[in-house]
Amino acid sequence: MADIEAVLAPWAEATFGAFGCAETPADLEQRLPVIRVERLGGSDDRFTRRPTVAVDVFAATADEARSLADCVRDALVFLTGPVNGAVIRSVRCDAGPSRQPWANEAIHRRGATYTVSLRDA
């Protein structure tokens, strides 16, 4: 079964030109902007998986983080079809992009939560 992080992180990197990952890189400040995709939970059954995923955008400015997070949301909610070894059926935005705290105040973070319905290709 395709891992949602392995499906969406490369898609985000290819689509937006930002570094896509499932874990925050140690050299985050040098890689900005970064899009991190992390599975939070969700359900799986025999044919369909519905993971809940957190998508965080890290950027050097608040405006860049806001703009990129909005672009990611707009693209994700219309994403369907084959993507990196999976077939996306639908994406629902459960909580839109909002400012999130980060330890380094020079890095601006926007986070959103999505539910993705998918199956293996």
Coordinates of all heavy atoms in Angstrom, one line a residue, residues 30-117:
Q30 N 18.0 26.4 5.7 CA 18.7 26.5 4.4 C 17.8 26.0 3.3 O 18.1 26.2 2.1 CB 20.0 25.7 4.5 CG 21.1 26.4 5.2 CD 20.9 26.4 6.7 OE1 20.5 25.4 7.3 NE2 21.1 27.5 7.4
R31 N 16.7 25.3 3.6 CA 15.9 24.6 2.5 C 14.6 25.4 2.2 O 13.9 25.0 1.4 CB 15.6 23.2 3.0 CG 16.7 22.3 3.0 CD 16.3 20.9 3.2 NE 17.3 19.9 3.3 CZ 17.7 19.1 2.3 NH1 17.1 19.2 1.2 NH2 18.7 18.3 2.5
L32 N 14.3 26.5 2.9 CA 13.1 27.2 2.8 C 12.8 27.6 1.3 O 13.8 27.9 0.6 CB 13.1 28.4 3.6 CG 13.1 28.2 5.1 CD1 13.2 29.5 5.9 CD2 11.9 27.4 5.6
P33 N 11.6 27.5 0.8 CA 10.4 27.0 1.5 C 10.3 25.5 1.6 O 10.9 24.8 0.7 CB 9.3 27.6 0.7 CG 9.8 27.7 -0.7 CD 11.3 28.0 -0.5
V34 N 9.6 25.0 2.6 CA 9.5 23.6 2.8 C 8.0 23.2 3.0 O 7.3 24.0 3.7 CB 10.3 23.1 4.1 CG1 10.0 21.7 4.4 CG2 11.8 23.3 3.8
I35 N 7.6 22.1 2.4 CA 6.2 21.6 2.6 C 6.4 20.2 3.2 O 7.0 19.3 2.7 CB 5.5 21.5 1.3 CG1 5.4 22.8 0.6 CG2 4.1 20.9 1.5 CD1 4.8 22.8 -0.8
R36 N 5.9 20.1 4.5 CA 5.9 18.8 5.2 C 4.6 18.2 5.2 O 3.6 18.8 5.6 CB 6.4 19.1 6.6 CG 6.6 17.8 7.5 CD 7.0 18.1 8.9 NE 6.0 18.9 9.6 CZ 6.2 19.4 10.8 NH1 7.3 19.3 11.4 NH2 5.2 20.1 11.4
V37 N 4.5 16.9 4.9 CA 3.3 16.1 4.9 C 3.4 15.0 5.9 O 4.4 14.3 5.9 CB 3.1 15.5 3.5 CG1 1.8 14.6 3.5 CG2 3.0 16.5 2.4
E38 N 2.5 15.0 6.9 CA 2.6 14.0 8.0 C 1.2 13.4 8.2 O 0.2 14.1 8.4 CB 3.1 14.7 9.2 CG 3.2 13.9 10.4 CD 3.7 14.6 11.7 OE1 3.6 15.9 11.7 OE2 4.1 14.0 12.6
R39 N 1.2 12.1 8.2 CA -0.1 11.4 8.5 C -0.4 11.5 10.0 O 0.5 11.2 10.9 CB 0.0 9.9 8.1 CG -1.3 9.2 8.4 CD -1.3 7.7 8.0 NE -2.6 7.2 8.3 CZ -3.3 6.3 7.6 NH1 -2.7 5.8 6.5 NH2 -4.4 5.8 8.0
L40 N -1.6 11.9 10.3 CA -2.0 12.0 11.7 C -2.9 10.9 12.2 O -3.0 10.6 13.4 CB -2.8 13.3 11.9 CG -2.1 14.6 11.6 CD1 -3.1 15.8 11.7 CD2 -0.9 14.8 12.4
G41 N -3.5 10.2 11.3 CA -4.4 9.1 11.6 C -5.3 8.8 10.4 O -4.9 8.9 9.3
G42 N -6.6 8.4 10.7 CA -7.5 8.1 9.6 C -7.8 6.7 9.6 O -7.4 5.9 10.4
S43 N -8.6 6.3 8.6 CA -9.1 4.9 8.5 C -8.6 4.2 7.2 O -8.2 4.8 6.2 CB -10.6 4.9 8.5 OG -11.1 5.5 7.3
D44 N -8.5 2.9 7.3 CA -8.1 2.0 6.2 C -9.1 0.9 6.2 O -9.5 0.4 7.2 CB -6.7 1.4 6.4 CG -5.6 2.4 6.4 OD1 -5.8 3.5 5.8 OD2 -4.5 2.2 7.0
D45 N -9.5 0.5 5.0 CA -10.3 -0.7 4.9 C -9.7 -1.5 3.7 O -8.6 -1.2 3.2 CB -11.8 -0.5 4.7 CG -12.2 0.3 3.5 OD1 -11.5 0.2 2.5 OD2 -13.2 1.1 3.6
R46 N -10.4 -2.5 3.3 CA -9.8 -3.4 2.3 C -9.4 -2.7 1.0 O -8.4 -3.0 0.3 CB -10.8 -4.5 2.0 CG -10.3 -5.6 1.1 CD -11.2 -6.7 1.0 NE -10.7 -7.7 0.1 CZ -11.4 -8.7 -0.3 NH1 -12.6 -8.9 0.1 NH2 -10.9 -9.5 -1.2
F47 N -10.2 -1.7 0.5 CA -10.0 -1.1 -0.8 C -9.6 0.3 -0.7 O -9.0 0.9 -1.7 CB -11.2 -1.3 -1.6 CG -11.6 -2.7 -1.9 CD1 -12.7 -3.2 -1.3 CD2 -10.8 -3.5 -2.7 CE1 -13.1 -4.6 -1.5 CE2 -11.2 -4.9 -2.9 CZ -12.3 -5.4 -2.3
T48 N -10.0 1.0 0.3 CA -9.8 2.5 0.4 C -9.1 2.9 1.7 O -9.4 2.3 2.7 CB -11.1 3.2 0.2 OG1 -11.8 2.8 -1.0 CG2 -10.9 4.7 0.2
R49 N -8.2 3.8 1.6 CA -7.6 4.5 2.8 C -8.1 5.9 2.8 O -8.2 6.6 1.8 CB -6.1 4.4 2.7 CG -5.7 2.9 3.1 CD -4.2 2.7 2.7 NE -4.1 2.6 1.3 CZ -3.2 3.1 0.6 NH1 -2.2 3.8 1.1 NH2 -3.2 3.0 -0.7
R50 N -8.3 6.4 4.0 CA -8.7 7.8 4.2 C -7.9 8.4 5.3 O -8.4 8.7 6.4 CB -10.2 7.8 4.6 CG -11.1 7.4 3.5 CD -12.6 7.3 3.9 NE -13.4 6.7 2.9 CZ -13.6 5.4 2.8 NH1 -13.0 4.6 3.7 NH2 -14.3 4.8 1.9
P51 N -6.6 8.6 5.1 CA -5.7 9.2 6.1 C -6.0 10.6 6.3 O -6.4 11.4 5.4 CB -4.3 9.0 5.5 CG -4.5 8.9 4.0 CD -5.9 8.3 3.8
T52 N -5.9 11.0 7.5 CA -5.9 12.5 7.9 C -4.4 12.9 7.9 O -3.6 12.3 8.5 CB -6.5 12.7 9.3 OG1 -7.8 12.1 9.3 CG2 -6.5 14.2 9.6
V53 N -4.2 14.0 7.1 CA -2.8 14.4 7.0 C -2.7 15.9 7.4 O -3.6 16.7 7.1 CB -2.2 14.2 5.6 CG1 -2.1 12.8 5.3 CG2 -3.0 14.9 4.5
A54 N -1.6 16.2 8.0 CA -1.2 17.6 8.3 C -0.2 18.0 7.2 O 0.7 17.3 6.9 CB -0.6 17.7 9.7
V55 N -0.5 19.2 6.7 CA 0.4 19.8 5.7 C 0.9 21.1 6.2 O 0.1 22.0 6.4 CB -0.3 19.9 4.3 CG1 0.7 20.6 3.3 CG2 -0.8 18.6 3.8
D56 N 2.2 21.2 6.5 CA 2.8 22.4 7.1 C 3.7 23.0 6.0 O 4.4 22.3 5.4 CB 3.6 22.1 8.3 CG 2.7 21.7 9.5 OD1 1.7 22.4 9.8 OD2 3.0 20.6 10.1
V57 N 3.6 24.3 5.9 CA 4.4 25.1 5.0 C 5.3 26.0 5.9 O 4.9 26.7 6.8 CB 3.6 26.0 4.1 CG1 4.5 27.0 3.3 CG2 2.8 25.1 3.1
F58 N 6.6 25.9 5.6 CA 7.6 26.7 6.3 C 8.2 27.7 5.3 O 8.6 27.2 4.2 CB 8.7 25.8 6.9 CG 8.2 24.8 7.9 CD1 7.8 23.5 7.5 CD2 8.2 25.1 9.3 CE1 7.4 22.6 8.4 CE2 7.7 24.2 10.2 CZ 7.3 22.9 9.7
A59 N 8.4 28.9 5.7 CA 8.9 29.9 4.8 C 9.6 31.0 5.5 O 9.5 31.1 6.8 CB 7.8 30.5 3.9
A60 N 10.4 31.8 4.8 CA 11.2 32.9 5.4 C 10.3 34.1 5.8 O 10.7 34.8 6.7 CB 12.3 33.3 4.4
T61 N 9.2 34.3 5.2 CA 8.3 35.4 5.5 C 6.9 34.9 5.8 O 6.5 33.8 5.2 CB 8.3 36.5 4.4 OG1 7.6 36.0 3.3 CG2 9.7 36.9 4.1
A62 N 6.1 35.6 6.5 CA 4.7 35.3 6.7 C 3.9 35.3 5.4 O 3.1 34.4 5.2 CB 4.1 36.2 7.8
D63 N 4.2 36.3 4.6 CA 3.4 36.4 3.3 C 3.7 35.2 2.4 O 2.8 34.7 1.8 CB 3.8 37.7 2.6 CG 3.2 38.9 3.2 OD1 2.2 38.7 4.0 OD2 3.6 40.0 3.0
E64 N 5.0 34.8 2.4 CA 5.4 33.6 1.5 C 4.7 32.3 2.1 O 4.2 31.5 1.3 CB 6.9 33.4 1.5 CG 7.3 32.3 0.6 CD 8.8 32.1 0.7 OE1 9.5 32.6 1.6 OE2 9.3 31.4 -0.2
A65 N 4.7 32.2 3.4 CA 4.1 31.0 4.0 C 2.6 31.0 3.7 O 2.0 29.9 3.4 CB 4.3 31.0 5.5
R66 N 1.9 32.1 3.9 CA 0.5 32.2 3.6 C 0.2 31.9 2.2 O -0.7 31.2 1.9 CB 0.0 33.6 4.0 CG -1.5 33.8 3.8 CD -2.0 35.2 4.2 NE -1.5 35.7 5.5 CZ -0.5 36.6 5.7 NH1 0.1 37.1 4.7 NH2 -0.2 36.9 6.9
S67 N 0.9 32.5 1.3 CA 0.6 32.4 -0.2 C 0.8 30.9 -0.6 O 0.0 30.3 -1.3 CB 1.5 33.3 -1.0 OG 1.4 33.1 -2.3
L68 N 1.9 30.3 -0.2 CA 2.2 28.9 -0.5 C 1.2 28.0 0.1 O 0.7 27.1 -0.6 CB 3.6 28.5 -0.2 CG 4.1 27.1 -0.6 CD1 3.9 26.9 -2.0 CD2 5.6 27.0 -0.2
A69 N 0.9 28.2 1.3 CA -0.1 27.3 2.0 C -1.5 27.4 1.3 O -2.2 26.4 1.1 CB -0.3 27.7 3.5
D70 N -1.9 28.6 0.8 CA -3.1 28.7 0.1 C -3.1 28.0 -1.2 O -4.0 27.4 -1.7 CB -3.5 30.2 -0.1 CG -3.9 30.9 1.2 OD1 -4.2 30.2 2.2 OD2 -3.9 32.1 1.3
C71 N -1.9 28.1 -1.9 CA -1.8 27.5 -3.2 C -1.8 25.9 -3.0 O -2.4 25.2 -3.9 CB -0.4 27.9 -3.9 SG -0.4 29.6 -4.5
V72 N -1.2 25.4 -2.0 CA -1.2 24.0 -1.7 C -2.7 23.6 -1.5 O -3.1 22.6 -2.0 CB -0.3 23.6 -0.5 CG1 -0.5 22.2 -0.1 CG2 1.1 23.9 -0.9
R73 N -3.4 24.3 -0.7 CA -4.8 24.0 -0.4 C -5.6 24.0 -1.7 O -6.4 23.0 -2.0 CB -5.4 25.0 0.6 CG -6.9 24.6 0.9 CD -7.7 25.8 1.4 NE -7.6 26.9 0.5 CZ -7.4 28.2 1.0 NH1 -7.4 28.5 2.3 NH2 -7.3 29.2 0.1
D74 N -5.5 25.0 -2.5 CA -6.2 25.1 -3.7 C -5.9 23.9 -4.7 O -6.8 23.4 -5.3 CB -6.0 26.4 -4.4 CG -6.5 27.6 -3.7 OD1 -7.3 27.4 -2.7 OD2 -6.1 28.7 -4.0
A75 N -4.7 23.5 -4.7 CA -4.3 22.4 -5.6 C -4.8 21.0 -5.0 O -5.3 20.2 -5.7 CB -2.8 22.4 -5.8
L76 N -4.6 20.9 -3.7 CA -5.0 19.6 -3.1 C -6.5 19.3 -3.2 O -6.8 18.1 -3.5 CB -4.6 19.6 -1.6 CG -3.2 19.1 -1.2 CD1 -2.9 19.2 0.3 CD2 -3.0 17.6 -1.6
V77 N -7.3 20.2 -3.0 CA -8.8 19.9 -3.0 C -9.3 19.5 -4.4 O -10.4 19.0 -4.5 CB -9.6 21.1 -2.4 CG1 -9.3 21.3 -0.9 CG2 -9.5 22.4 -3.2
F78 N -8.5 19.8 -5.4 CA -8.9 19.4 -6.8 C -8.0 18.2 -7.3 O -8.2 17.8 -8.4 CB -8.8 20.6 -7.7 CG -9.8 21.6 -7.5 CD1 -9.5 22.8 -6.9 CD2 -11.1 21.3 -7.8 CE1 -10.5 23.8 -6.7 CE2 -12.1 22.3 -7.6 CZ -11.8 23.5 -7.0
L79 N -7.1 17.7 -6.4 CA -6.3 16.6 -6.8 C -7.0 15.3 -6.9 O -7.6 14.8 -5.9 CB -5.1 16.5 -5.8 CG -4.0 15.4 -6.1 CD1 -3.3 15.8 -7.4 CD2 -3.0 15.4 -5.0
T80 N -7.0 14.7 -8.1 CA -7.6 13.4 -8.3 C -6.8 12.6 -9.3 O -6.0 13.2 -10.1 CB -9.1 13.4 -8.8 OG1 -9.1 14.2 -10.0 CG2 -10.0 14.1 -7.8
G81 N -7.0 11.3 -9.3 CA -6.3 10.5 -10.3 C -5.0 9.9 -9.8 O -4.7 10.0 -8.6
P82 N -4.2 9.3 -10.7 CA -2.9 8.7 -10.3 C -1.9 9.7 -9.9 O -1.6 10.7 -10.5 CB -2.5 8.0 -11.6 CG -3.4 8.3 -12.7 CD -4.5 9.2 -12.1
V83 N -1.3 9.4 -8.7 CA -0.2 10.2 -8.1 C 0.8 9.3 -7.4 O 0.4 8.7 -6.4 CB -0.8 11.3 -7.1 CG1 0.4 12.1 -6.5 CG2 -1.8 12.2 -7.8
N84 N 2.0 9.2 -7.9 CA 3.1 8.5 -7.2 C 2.6 7.1 -6.6 O 2.9 6.8 -5.4 CB 3.6 9.4 -6.1 CG 4.3 10.6 -6.6 OD1 4.9 10.6 -7.7 ND2 4.1 11.7 -6.0
G85 N 2.0 6.3 -7.4 CA 1.7 4.9 -7.0 C 0.4 4.7 -6.3 O 0.1 3.7 -5.8
A86 N -0.4 5.8 -6.3 CA -1.7 5.7 -5.7 C -2.7 6.4 -6.6 O -2.4 7.1 -7.5 CB -1.8 6.4 -4.3
V87 N -4.0 6.1 -6.4 CA -5.1 6.8 -7.1 C -5.8 7.6 -6.1 O -6.5 7.1 -5.2 CB -6.0 5.8 -7.8 CG1 -7.1 6.6 -8.5 CG2 -5.2 5.0 -8.8
I88 N -5.8 8.9 -6.2 CA -6.5 9.8 -5.3 C -7.9 9.9 -5.8 O -8.2 10.3 -6.9 CB -5.8 11.3 -5.3 CG1 -4.3 11.2 -5.0 CG2 -6.6 12.2 -4.3 CD1 -4.0 10.9 -3.6
R89 N -8.9 9.6 -4.9 CA -10.3 9.8 -5.2 C -10.8 11.1 -4.8 O -11.6 11.7 -5.6 CB -11.1 8.7 -4.4 CG -10.8 7.3 -4.9 CD -11.6 6.3 -4.2 NE -11.4 5.0 -4.9 CZ -11.6 3.8 -4.3 NH1 -12.1 3.8 -3.1 NH2 -11.4 2.7 -4.9
S90 N -10.4 11.6 -3.7 CA -10.8 13.0 -3.3 C -10.0 13.5 -2.1 O -9.3 12.7 -1.5 CB -12.3 13.0 -2.8 OG -12.5 12.2 -1.7
V91 N -10.0 14.8 -2.0 CA -9.3 15.4 -0.8 C -10.2 16.5 -0.2 O -10.8 17.3 -0.9 CB -8.0 16.1 -1.3 CG1 -7.3 16.8 -0.1 CG2 -7.0 15.2 -2.0
R92 N -10.4 16.4 1.1 CA -11.2 17.3 1.8 C -10.4 18.1 2.8 O -9.5 17.6 3.5 CB -12.3 16.6 2.6 CG -13.3 17.5 3.4 CD -14.3 16.7 4.2 NE -13.6 16.1 5.3 CZ -13.8 14.9 5.8 NH1 -14.7 14.1 5.2 NH2 -13.1 14.4 6.9
C93 N -10.5 19.4 2.7 CA -9.8 20.3 3.7 C -10.6 20.4 5.0 O -11.7 20.9 5.0 CB -9.6 21.7 3.1 SG -8.7 22.8 4.2
D94 N -10.1 19.8 6.0 CA -10.8 19.8 7.3 C -10.5 21.0 8.1 O -11.4 21.5 8.9 CB -10.3 18.6 8.1 CG -10.6 17.3 7.4 OD1 -11.7 17.1 6.8 OD2 -9.8 16.3 7.5
A95 N -9.3 21.6 8.0 CA -9.0 22.8 8.7 C -8.0 23.6 7.8 O -6.9 23.1 7.5 CB -8.3 22.6 10.1
G96 N -8.4 24.7 7.3 CA -7.6 25.5 6.4 C -6.3 26.0 7.0 O -6.1 26.0 8.2
P97 N -5.4 26.5 6.1 CA -4.1 27.0 6.6 C -4.3 28.1 7.6 O -5.0 29.0 7.5 CB -3.5 27.6 5.3 CG -4.2 26.9 4.2 CD -5.6 26.6 4.7
S98 N -3.5 27.9 8.7 CA -3.5 28.9 9.8 C -2.1 29.0 10.3 O -1.3 28.1 10.2 CB -4.5 28.5 10.9 OG -4.1 27.3 11.5
R99 N -1.8 30.1 11.0 CA -0.5 30.3 11.5 C -0.2 29.4 12.7 O -1.1 29.2 13.5 CB -0.4 31.8 12.0 CG 1.0 32.2 12.4 CD 1.1 33.7 12.6 NE 0.7 34.1 13.9 CZ 1.5 33.9 15.0 NH1 2.7 33.3 14.9 NH2 1.1 34.3 16.2
Q100 N 0.9 28.7 12.7 CA 1.3 27.8 13.7 C 2.6 28.2 14.3 O 3.5 28.8 13.7 CB 1.5 26.4 13.1 CG 0.3 25.8 12.3 CD -0.9 25.5 13.2 OE1 -0.7 25.0 14.3 NE2 -2.1 26.0 12.9
P101 N 2.8 28.0 15.6 CA 4.0 28.4 16.3 C 5.2 27.5 15.8 O 5.0 26.4 15.4 CB 3.7 28.1 17.8 CG 2.6 27.1 17.8 CD 1.8 27.3 16.5
W102 N 6.4 28.1 15.9 CA 7.6 27.4 15.6 C 8.7 27.9 16.5 O 8.7 29.1 16.8 CB 8.0 27.5 14.1 CG 9.0 26.6 13.7 CD1 10.3 26.9 13.4 CD2 8.9 25.2 13.6 NE1 11.0 25.7 13.0 CE2 10.2 24.6 13.2 CE3 7.9 24.3 13.8 CZ2 10.4 23.3 13.0 CZ3 8.1 22.9 13.6 CH2 9.4 22.4 13.2
A103 N 9.6 27.1 16.9 CA 10.6 27.4 17.9 C 11.5 28.6 17.4 O 11.8 29.5 18.2 CB 11.5 26.2 18.2
N104 N 11.8 28.6 16.1 CA 12.6 29.7 15.6 C 11.7 30.8 15.0 O 11.0 30.5 14.0 CB 13.6 29.1 14.5 CG 14.5 30.2 13.9 OD1 14.3 31.4 14.0 ND2 15.5 29.7 13.1
E105 N 11.7 31.9 15.6 CA 10.7 33.0 15.1 C 11.1 33.5 13.8 O 10.2 34.2 13.2 CB 10.7 34.1 16.2 CG 10.0 33.6 17.5 CD 9.9 34.7 18.5 OE1 10.1 35.9 18.1 OE2 9.5 34.4 19.6
A106 N 12.2 33.2 13.2 CA 12.6 33.7 11.9 C 12.0 32.8 10.8 O 12.0 33.1 9.6 CB 14.1 33.7 11.7
I107 N 11.4 31.7 11.2 CA 10.7 30.8 10.3 C 9.2 30.9 10.5 O 8.7 30.8 11.6 CB 11.2 29.3 10.5 CG1 12.7 29.2 10.2 CG2 10.4 28.4 9.6 CD1 13.3 27.8 10.5
H108 N 8.5 31.1 9.4 CA 7.0 31.2 9.5 C 6.4 29.9 9.0 O 6.8 29.4 8.0 CB 6.6 32.4 8.6 CG 7.2 33.7 9.1 ND1 6.6 34.5 10.1 CD2 8.4 34.3 8.8 CE1 7.4 35.5 10.3 NE2 8.5 35.4 9.6
R109 N 5.4 29.5 9.8 CA 4.8 28.2 9.6 C 3.3 28.4 9.4 O 2.6 29.1 10.2 CB 5.1 27.2 10.7 CG 4.4 25.9 10.6 CD 4.8 25.1 11.9 NE 3.9 23.9 12.0 CZ 3.7 23.3 13.1 NH1 4.2 23.7 14.3 NH2 2.9 22.2 13.1
R110 N 2.7 27.8 8.4 CA 1.2 27.7 8.2 C 0.9 26.2 8.1 O 1.5 25.5 7.4 CB 0.8 28.4 6.9 CG 1.2 29.9 6.8 CD 0.4 30.8 7.7 NE -0.9 31.0 7.1 CZ -1.7 31.9 7.6 NH1 -1.3 32.7 8.6 NH2 -2.9 32.1 7.1
G111 N -0.1 25.8 8.8 CA -0.5 24.4 8.8 C -2.0 24.2 8.5 O -2.8 25.1 8.8
A112 N -2.3 23.1 7.8 CA -3.7 22.8 7.5 C -3.8 21.3 7.6 O -2.9 20.5 7.6 CB -4.0 23.2 6.0
T113 N -5.1 20.8 7.7 CA -5.4 19.4 7.9 C -6.3 19.0 6.8 O -7.3 19.7 6.5 CB -6.0 19.1 9.3 OG1 -5.2 19.7 10.3 CG2 -6.2 17.6 9.5
Y114 N -6.0 17.8 6.2 CA -6.8 17.3 5.1 C -7.2 15.8 5.3 O -6.4 15.1 6.0 CB -6.0 17.4 3.8 CG -5.6 18.8 3.4 CD1 -4.4 19.3 3.9 CD2 -6.4 19.6 2.6 CE1 -4.0 20.6 3.6 CE2 -6.0 20.9 2.4 CZ -4.8 21.4 2.8 OH -4.4 22.7 2.5
T115 N -8.3 15.3 4.7 CA -8.6 13.9 4.7 C -8.5 13.5 3.2 O -9.1 14.2 2.3 CB -10.0 13.6 5.2 OG1 -10.0 14.0 6.6 CG2 -10.3 12.1 5.1
V116 N -7.7 12.5 2.9 CA -7.5 12.1 1.5 C -8.1 10.7 1.4 O -7.8 9.8 2.2 CB -6.0 12.0 1.2 CG1 -5.7 11.6 -0.2 CG2 -5.3 13.4 1.5
S117 N -8.9 10.5 0.3 CA -9.4 9.2 0.0 C -8.6 8.7 -1.2 O -8.5 9.3 -2.2 CB -10.9 9.3 -0.4 OG -11.4 8.0 -0.8

